[in-house]
Amino acid sequence: MIPFFPPDLFDDDQDVLLDLVAEVAATPDQRFILGPRTERLEAVIRESVGAADAVACGSGTSALTLLLAAMDVGPGDEVIVPAYGCAPLAAAPLSLGATPVFADVDPWTMVVDPAEVQELITERTRVIMPAHVFSVMADMPAFRRIAADAGVRLLEDSAVGQGGVLAGRAAGTWGDAGVYSFVQVKTFGMPGEGGMVVTDDPALGRAVRVLRNHGQDGRTRFRHHRIGYNSRFDEVMAAFQLHRFAGLPERLERRARIGGYYTERFAGLPGVIAPPPGRDGRCFYVYSLLADHRDALRDHLAARGIGSHVYYPAPLPRQPAFAPHAAPDRDWPAASAASRRQLAIPVHPHLTDAEVELIADEVRRFALSRGDAMTTEDRT
Ligand SMILES: *Cc1c(COP(=O)(O)O)cnc(C)c1O
């Protein structure tokens, strides 16, 4: 059996985790949240991507909400978000009373299409919020130009992008601010919930610090400058992430190599399309195929003990919670097609070479036996 989600993600560090629990539990000052370890983790992340500030918070979702709140987004404002992706892209603006405006995605890479975003800008637009998807970074140079021309904020949802680099610039540092998520499955995941805001705008960093801790400024307790949130970071997790950080480049490299191997093996397959090759603008979080017969491919792999995963089976504007807030007269054909065709196969760093080869063999066997006419050349 090759499960999609690795069951042994933190096995090598189990003893370290237990030791850190004991260490933090025994500290005289009993700081369990927002203590010195969290500060050190913020410094490590800040320096690793060359940002002016990094602010740890309760989750990637919360990082998005805190940033939108720090940008004073509220009722009447529009935030342009991808039509295909995870729920917080829509829920974060809505939770502040703002309206998410859904832009369709690129039919191959599944990242939000800059031309669509450009077209959706109105005088109500306050923020453009592109997201990196699976293994492909959004076209951040284009979004920077669009945001600058329109005079709106750019919030980079790089929750899946940590470790990715596009044109020499780290994922997370392209906009006014970016976010990382440390939830288990992400590239710098951990055994718990947590996220990080990174920004070059000191005012945004300060505002997020205030908002994450009930609107207090960190100096005077019980003085609430803003309506804030409880979105703080755990000291045990901070210590664990500080320990794990050194191994991140190696784990990312392993993911990248597995992804590169898959893409080579899948070139030109009928009816199954691999993500674009290369390393620039990639993040290797999830390796995602587009398959004409997606469910049959999933069943084929499952019958051979290979786990796979369908993300986002419906576009965001088709979700019951978000549909009432979506433009009634619009359609998102590429997002809908992605929802029908997307299938992710295992790419986690603990896979052995033999497992990776087996997975590639089985995807090829399926595609060649179905023998559909569609090839990568037909993808447009
Ligand atoms: C995972 C994810 C988030 C949310 O991060 P959490 O830490 O799970 O709250 C936000 N955006 C994208 C694109 C994600 O993949």
Side-chain angles (χ1 to χ4, degrees):
M1 286 300 293
I2 309 175
F4 181 77
F5 293 105
D8 56 350
L9 205 52
F10 305 116
D11 279 9
D12 297 344
D13 293 312
Q14 261 175 19
D15 292 345
V16 172
L17 181 57
L18 293 174
D19 287 349
L20 290 172
V21 171
E23 182 192 303
V24 173
T27 52
D29 62 356
Q30 294 286 284
R31 290 287 295 270
F32 296 116
I33 51 162
L34 297 187
R37 295 166 187 81
T38 300
E39 264 177 45
R40 279 209 294 284
L41 180 64
E42 290 176 336
V44 162
I45 299 297
R46 186 177 69 226
E47 283 155 24
S48 75
V49 295
D53 202 1
V55 188
C57 57
S59 68
T61 301
S62 170
L64 294 176
T65 307
L66 294 174
L67 274 168
L68 291 175
M71 293 171 176
D72 290 318
V73 168
D77 295 335
E78 294 177 350
V79 180
I80 303 180
V81 303
Y84 179 79
C86 66
L89 288 164
L94 283 166
S95 73
L96 293 162
T99 304
V101 175
F102 298 100
D104 207 0
V105 298
D106 180 279
W108 183 19
T109 62
M110 296 171 267
V111 297
V112 63
D113 177 1
E116 279 264 327
V117 169
Q118 174 78 63
E119 188 188 310
L120 291 169
I121 288 178
T122 71
E123 68 273 17
R124 287 167 169 250
T125 307
R126 291 289 308 282
V127 182
I128 297 174
M129 193 157 86
H132 312 315
V133 184
F134 305 132
S135 64
V136 182
M137 285 176 64
D139 184 351
M140 294 313 295
F143 289 115
R144 267 173 89 93
R145 280 194 300 276
I146 293 168
D149 287 351
V152 302
R153 295 281 213 168
L154 179 59
L155 200 176
E156 181 183 357
D157 182 350
S158 41
V160 308
Q162 198 173 355
V165 176
L166 170 61
R169 193 172 184 131
T173 64
W174 280 88
D176 293 287
V179 309
Y180 302 130
S181 163
F182 302 146
V183 75
Q184 184 166 347
V185 294
K186 302 288 161 80
T187 49
F188 191 41
M190 65 187 193
E193 295 272 18
M196 188 77 73
V197 163
V198 288
T199 181
D200 275 336
D201 179 343
L204 271 185
R206 277 194 304 276
V208 169
R209 278 175 200 282
V210 168
L211 287 165
R212 76 174 166 180
N213 194 11
H214 300 299
Q216 302 167 106
D217 61 14
R219 292 186 298 273
T220 318
R221 273 200 84 185
F222 302 125
R223 183 162 182 87
H224 306 281
H225 303 277
R226 294 190 56 161
I227 301 170
Y229 299 81
N230 177 0
S231 178
R232 302 178 295 208
F233 206 83
D234 186 303
E235 283 288 284
V236 172
M237 287 298 124
F240 190 67
Q241 289 302 74
L242 285 165
H243 166 74
R244 296 264 298 172
F245 190 71
L248 178 59
E250 197 184 317
R251 296 193 295 275
L252 287 171
E253 178 62 23
R254 177 70 184 151
R255 285 173 181 268
R257 277 177 189 275
I258 296 170
Y261 171 81
Y262 282 152
T263 299
E264 254 172 49
R265 295 284 318 271
F266 301 156
L269 275 187
V272 172
I273 298 173
R279 291 277 186 112
D280 191 44
R282 304 284 177 270
C283 46
F284 304 107
Y285 158 58
V286 159
Y287 189 92
S288 206
L289 299 166
L290 289 170
D292 292 350
H293 304 282
R294 186 262 314 274
D295 294 349
L297 174 56
R298 184 188 55 200
D299 294 347
H300 172 92
L301 295 175
R304 284 147 189 87
I306 299 166
S308 60
H309 196 64
V310 174
Y311 285 81
Y312 320 134
L316 288 171
R318 299 284 182 236
Q319 290 285 350
F322 310 134
H325 305 280
D329 51 349
R330 247 192 117 83
D331 204 11
W332 299 269
S336 299
S339 291
R340 283 193 308 273
R341 302 178 66 215
Q342 180 276 339
L343 188 71
I345 57 175
V347 74
H348 55 81
H350 284 190
L351 292 169
T352 66
D353 287 350
E355 288 171 329
V356 173
E357 278 166 35
L358 176 73
I359 295 166
D361 288 347
E362 287 303 333
V363 170
R364 283 183 60 87
R365 191 195 315 280
F366 173 85
L368 294 169
S369 68
R370 297 296 287 219
D372 272 23
M374 188 161 187
T375 66
T376 19
E377 278 73 45
D378 300 321
R379 69 176 174 266
T380 50

Coordinates of all heavy atoms in Angstrom, one line a residue, residues 35-98:
G35 N 5.9 33.1 22.7 CA 7.1 33.2 23.6 C 8.4 33.4 22.7 O 8.3 33.7 21.5
P36 N 9.5 33.1 23.3 CA 10.8 33.3 22.6 C 11.0 32.4 21.5 O 11.7 32.7 20.5 CB 11.8 33.1 23.7 CG 11.1 32.3 24.8 CD 9.7 32.7 24.7
R37 N 10.4 31.2 21.5 CA 10.6 30.2 20.4 C 9.8 30.7 19.2 O 10.3 30.6 18.0 CB 10.2 28.8 20.8 CG 11.0 28.2 21.9 CD 10.4 27.0 22.6 NE 11.2 26.6 23.7 CZ 11.1 27.1 24.9 NH1 10.3 28.1 25.2 NH2 11.9 26.7 25.9
T38 N 8.6 31.2 19.4 CA 7.9 31.8 18.3 C 8.6 33.0 17.7 O 8.7 33.1 16.5 CB 6.5 32.3 18.8 OG1 5.8 31.1 19.4 CG2 5.6 32.9 17.7
E39 N 9.2 33.8 18.5 CA 10.0 34.9 18.0 C 11.2 34.4 17.2 O 11.5 35.0 16.1 CB 10.5 35.8 19.2 CG 9.6 37.0 19.5 CD 10.1 37.8 20.6 OE1 11.4 38.0 20.7 OE2 9.3 38.1 21.5
R40 N 11.8 33.4 17.6 CA 13.0 32.8 16.8 C 12.5 32.3 15.5 O 13.1 32.5 14.5 CB 13.7 31.8 17.7 CG 14.7 32.4 18.7 CD 15.9 31.4 18.9 NE 15.4 30.2 19.5 CZ 15.1 30.0 20.8 NH1 15.2 31.1 21.6 NH2 14.8 28.9 21.3
L41 N 11.4 31.6 15.5 CA 10.8 31.0 14.3 C 10.5 32.2 13.3 O 10.8 32.1 12.1 CB 9.6 30.2 14.5 CG 9.0 29.5 13.3 CD1 10.0 28.6 12.6 CD2 7.7 28.8 13.6
E42 N 9.9 33.2 13.8 CA 9.6 34.4 13.0 C 10.9 34.9 12.3 O 10.9 35.2 11.1 CB 8.9 35.5 13.8 CG 7.4 35.1 14.2 CD 6.8 36.1 15.1 OE1 7.5 36.9 15.8 OE2 5.5 36.1 15.1
A43 N 11.9 35.0 13.1 CA 13.2 35.5 12.6 C 13.8 34.6 11.6 O 14.3 35.1 10.5 CB 14.2 35.7 13.8
V44 N 13.7 33.3 11.8 CA 14.2 32.4 10.8 C 13.5 32.5 9.5 O 14.1 32.5 8.4 CB 14.1 30.9 11.4 CG1 14.3 29.9 10.3 CG2 15.2 30.7 12.5
I45 N 12.2 32.5 9.6 CA 11.4 32.6 8.3 C 11.6 33.9 7.6 O 11.8 34.0 6.4 CB 9.9 32.4 8.6 CG1 9.6 31.1 9.2 CG2 9.0 32.6 7.4 CD1 9.9 29.9 8.4
R46 N 11.6 35.0 8.4 CA 11.9 36.3 7.9 C 13.2 36.4 7.1 O 13.3 36.8 5.9 CB 11.9 37.3 9.0 CG 12.0 38.8 8.6 CD 11.9 39.7 9.9 NE 13.1 39.5 10.7 CZ 13.2 39.3 12.0 NH1 12.0 39.3 12.7 NH2 14.3 39.2 12.7
E47 N 14.2 35.8 7.7 CA 15.5 35.9 7.1 C 15.6 34.9 5.9 O 16.3 35.2 4.9 CB 16.6 35.6 8.1 CG 16.9 36.8 9.0 CD 17.5 36.4 10.4 OE1 18.1 35.3 10.5 OE2 17.3 37.2 11.3
S48 N 14.9 33.8 6.0 CA 15.1 32.8 4.9 C 14.5 33.4 3.6 O 14.9 32.9 2.5 CB 14.3 31.5 5.3 OG 12.9 31.7 5.2
V49 N 13.5 34.3 3.7 CA 13.0 34.8 2.4 C 13.3 36.3 2.3 O 12.9 36.9 1.3 CB 11.4 34.6 2.3 CG1 11.1 33.1 2.3 CG2 10.7 35.2 3.5
G50 N 14.0 36.9 3.2 CA 14.4 38.3 3.0 C 13.3 39.2 3.2 O 13.2 40.2 2.4
A51 N 12.3 38.9 4.0 CA 11.2 39.9 4.2 C 11.5 40.8 5.4 O 12.3 40.5 6.2 CB 9.9 39.1 4.5
A52 N 10.8 41.9 5.4 CA 11.0 42.9 6.5 C 10.4 42.3 7.8 O 10.9 42.6 8.9 CB 10.4 44.2 6.2
D53 N 9.3 41.6 7.7 CA 8.7 41.1 9.0 C 8.0 39.8 8.7 O 7.6 39.5 7.5 CB 7.6 42.1 9.4 CG 7.3 41.9 10.9 OD1 7.9 41.1 11.6 OD2 6.4 42.7 11.4
A54 N 7.9 38.9 9.7 CA 7.2 37.7 9.7 C 6.5 37.6 11.0 O 7.0 37.8 12.0 CB 8.1 36.5 9.5
V55 N 5.2 37.2 10.9 CA 4.3 37.2 12.1 C 3.6 35.8 12.1 O 2.8 35.5 11.3 CB 3.3 38.3 12.1 CG1 2.5 38.4 13.4 CG2 3.9 39.7 11.7
A56 N 3.9 35.1 13.2 CA 3.3 33.8 13.3 C 1.9 33.9 13.8 O 1.6 34.8 14.7 CB 4.1 32.9 14.3
C57 N 1.0 33.0 13.3 CA -0.4 33.1 13.8 C -1.0 31.7 13.7 O -0.3 30.7 13.5 CB -1.2 34.1 12.9 SG -1.1 33.7 11.2
G58 N -2.3 31.6 14.0 CA -2.9 30.4 14.3 C -3.1 29.4 13.2 O -3.1 28.2 13.4
S59 N -3.1 29.9 11.9 CA -3.2 29.0 10.8 C -3.0 29.8 9.5 O -3.0 31.1 9.6 CB -4.6 28.4 10.7 OG -5.6 29.4 10.5
G60 N -2.9 29.2 8.4 CA -2.8 29.9 7.1 C -4.1 30.6 6.8 O -4.1 31.8 6.3
T61 N -5.2 30.0 7.1 CA -6.5 30.7 6.9 C -6.6 32.0 7.7 O -7.0 33.0 7.2 CB -7.7 29.7 7.4 OG1 -7.6 28.5 6.7 CG2 -9.0 30.4 7.3
S62 N -6.2 31.9 9.0 CA -6.2 33.0 9.8 C -5.2 34.1 9.3 O -5.5 35.3 9.4 CB -5.9 32.5 11.2 OG -5.6 33.5 12.1
A63 N -4.1 33.7 8.8 CA -3.1 34.6 8.2 C -3.8 35.5 7.1 O -3.6 36.7 7.1 CB -1.9 33.9 7.7
L64 N -4.6 34.8 6.3 CA -5.3 35.5 5.2 C -6.3 36.5 5.8 O -6.3 37.7 5.4 CB -6.0 34.6 4.3 CG -5.2 33.6 3.4 CD1 -6.1 32.7 2.7 CD2 -4.3 34.4 2.5
T65 N -7.0 36.1 6.8 CA -8.0 36.9 7.4 C -7.4 38.1 8.1 O -7.9 39.3 8.0 CB -8.9 36.1 8.4 OG1 -9.4 35.0 7.8 CG2 -10.1 37.0 9.0
L66 N -6.3 37.9 8.9 CA -5.6 38.9 9.6 C -5.1 40.0 8.6 O -5.2 41.2 8.9 CB -4.5 38.4 10.4 CG -4.9 37.4 11.6 CD1 -3.6 36.9 12.2 CD2 -5.7 38.2 12.7
L67 N -4.6 39.5 7.5 CA -4.0 40.5 6.5 C -5.1 41.3 5.9 O -5.0 42.5 5.7 CB -3.2 39.7 5.5 CG -1.8 39.4 5.8 CD1 -1.1 38.4 4.9 CD2 -1.0 40.7 5.9
L68 N -6.2 40.6 5.5 CA -7.3 41.4 4.9 C -7.8 42.4 5.9 O -8.1 43.6 5.6 CB -8.5 40.5 4.5 CG -8.1 39.6 3.3 CD1 -9.3 38.6 3.0 CD2 -7.9 40.4 2.0
A69 N -7.9 42.0 7.2 CA -8.4 43.0 8.2 C -7.4 44.1 8.4 O -7.7 45.3 8.5 CB -8.6 42.2 9.6
A70 N -6.1 43.7 8.4 CA -5.0 44.7 8.5 C -5.1 45.7 7.3 O -4.7 46.9 7.4 CB -3.7 44.1 8.6
M71 N -5.5 45.3 6.2 CA -5.7 46.1 5.0 C -7.0 46.9 5.0 O -7.4 47.5 4.0 CB -5.6 45.3 3.7 CG -4.2 44.7 3.5 SD -4.3 43.5 2.1 CE -2.5 43.1 2.0
D72 N -7.7 46.8 6.1 CA -9.0 47.5 6.3 C -10.1 47.1 5.3 O -10.9 47.9 4.9 CB -8.8 49.0 6.4 CG -8.1 49.4 7.6 OD1 -8.4 48.9 8.7 OD2 -7.2 50.3 7.5
V73 N -10.0 45.8 4.9 CA -11.1 45.3 4.0 C -12.4 45.1 4.8 O -12.3 44.5 5.9 CB -10.6 44.0 3.3 CG1 -11.7 43.3 2.6 CG2 -9.4 44.3 2.4
G74 N -13.5 45.5 4.2 CA -14.7 45.4 4.9 C -15.9 45.4 3.9 O -15.7 45.3 2.7
P75 N -17.1 45.6 4.5 CA -18.3 45.7 3.7 C -18.2 46.7 2.5 O -17.7 47.8 2.7 CB -19.4 46.1 4.7 CG -18.9 45.7 6.0 CD -17.4 45.8 5.9
G76 N -18.7 46.2 1.3 CA -18.6 47.0 0.1 C -17.4 46.8 -0.7 O -17.3 47.2 -1.8
D77 N -16.4 46.2 -0.1 CA -15.1 46.0 -0.8 C -15.1 44.7 -1.5 O -15.8 43.7 -1.1 CB -13.9 46.0 0.2 CG -13.7 47.3 0.9 OD1 -14.1 48.3 0.3 OD2 -13.1 47.3 2.0
E78 N -14.4 44.6 -2.6 CA -14.3 43.4 -3.4 C -12.8 42.9 -3.4 O -11.9 43.7 -3.4 CB -14.7 43.7 -4.9 CG -16.1 44.0 -5.0 CD -16.5 44.3 -6.5 OE1 -15.6 44.5 -7.3 OE2 -17.7 44.4 -6.7
V79 N -12.7 41.6 -3.2 CA -11.4 40.9 -3.2 C -11.4 39.9 -4.3 O -12.3 39.0 -4.4 CB -11.2 40.2 -1.9 CG1 -9.8 39.5 -1.9 CG2 -11.2 41.2 -0.7
I80 N -10.5 40.0 -5.3 CA -10.6 39.1 -6.4 C -9.8 37.9 -6.1 O -8.6 37.9 -5.6 CB -10.0 39.8 -7.7 CG1 -10.8 41.0 -8.0 CG2 -10.0 38.8 -8.9 CD1 -10.3 41.8 -9.3
V81 N -10.4 36.7 -6.2 CA -9.8 35.4 -5.7 C -10.0 34.4 -6.8 O -10.8 34.6 -7.7 CB -10.5 34.9 -4.4 CG1 -10.4 36.0 -3.3 CG2 -12.0 34.6 -4.7
P82 N -9.2 33.3 -6.8 CA -9.4 32.2 -7.8 C -10.8 31.5 -7.6 O -11.2 31.4 -6.5 CB -8.3 31.3 -7.5 CG -7.3 32.0 -6.6 CD -8.1 33.0 -5.8
A83 N -11.3 31.1 -8.7 CA -12.6 30.3 -8.7 C -12.3 28.9 -8.3 O -13.3 28.1 -8.0 CB -13.3 30.4 -10.0
Y84 N -11.1 28.5 -8.3 CA -10.7 27.1 -8.0 C -9.6 27.1 -6.9 O -8.6 27.8 -7.1 CB -10.1 26.4 -9.3 CG -9.7 25.0 -9.1 CD1 -10.6 24.0 -9.1 CD2 -8.4 24.7 -9.0 CE1 -10.2 22.6 -9.0 CE2 -8.0 23.4 -8.8 CZ -8.9 22.3 -8.8 OH -8.5 21.0 -8.7
G85 N -9.9 26.4 -5.8 CA -9.0 26.5 -4.7 C -9.6 26.1 -3.4 O -10.8 25.6 -3.4
C86 N -8.9 26.5 -2.3 CA -9.5 26.0 -1.1 C -10.4 27.1 -0.5 O -10.3 28.3 -0.8 CB -8.4 25.6 -0.1 SG -7.4 27.0 0.4
A87 N -11.2 26.7 0.5 CA -12.3 27.5 1.0 C -11.9 28.8 1.5 O -12.6 29.8 1.3 CB -13.1 26.7 2.0
P88 N -10.8 29.0 2.3 CA -10.5 30.3 2.9 C -10.3 31.4 1.8 O -10.5 32.6 2.2 CB -9.1 30.0 3.6 CG -8.7 28.7 3.3 CD -9.8 27.9 2.7
L89 N -10.0 31.1 0.6 CA -9.9 32.1 -0.4 C -11.2 32.9 -0.5 O -11.2 34.1 -0.7 CB -9.6 31.5 -1.8 CG -8.1 31.0 -1.9 CD1 -8.0 30.1 -3.1 CD2 -7.2 32.2 -2.0
A90 N -12.3 32.2 -0.4 CA -13.6 32.8 -0.4 C -14.1 33.2 1.0 O -14.7 34.3 1.2 CB -14.7 31.9 -1.0
A91 N -13.8 32.4 2.0 CA -14.4 32.6 3.3 C -13.7 33.8 4.0 O -14.3 34.5 4.8 CB -14.2 31.3 4.2
A92 N -12.4 34.0 3.7 CA -11.7 35.1 4.4 C -12.3 36.4 4.1 O -12.7 37.2 5.0 CB -10.2 35.0 4.2
P93 N -12.5 36.8 2.8 CA -13.1 38.1 2.5 C -14.6 38.1 3.1 O -15.0 39.1 3.6 CB -13.2 38.1 1.0 CG -12.2 37.1 0.5 CD -12.0 36.1 1.6
L94 N -15.3 37.0 2.9 CA -16.7 37.0 3.4 C -16.8 37.2 4.9 O -17.7 37.8 5.4 CB -17.4 35.7 3.0 CG -17.8 35.7 1.5 CD1 -18.2 34.2 1.1 CD2 -19.0 36.6 1.2
S95 N -15.8 36.7 5.6 CA -15.9 36.8 7.1 C -15.7 38.2 7.5 O -16.0 38.6 8.7 CB -14.8 35.9 7.7 OG -13.5 36.5 7.5
L96 N -15.2 39.1 6.6 CA -15.0 40.5 7.0 C -16.1 41.3 6.3 O -16.1 42.6 6.4 CB -13.6 41.0 6.5 CG -12.5 40.4 7.2 CD1 -11.2 40.5 6.4 CD2 -12.3 41.0 8.6
G97 N -17.1 40.7 5.7 CA -18.2 41.4 5.1 C -17.9 41.9 3.7 O -18.7 42.6 3.1
A98 N -16.7 41.5 3.2 CA -16.4 41.9 1.8 C -16.9 40.8 0.8 O -17.3 39.7 1.2 CB -14.9 42.0 1.7

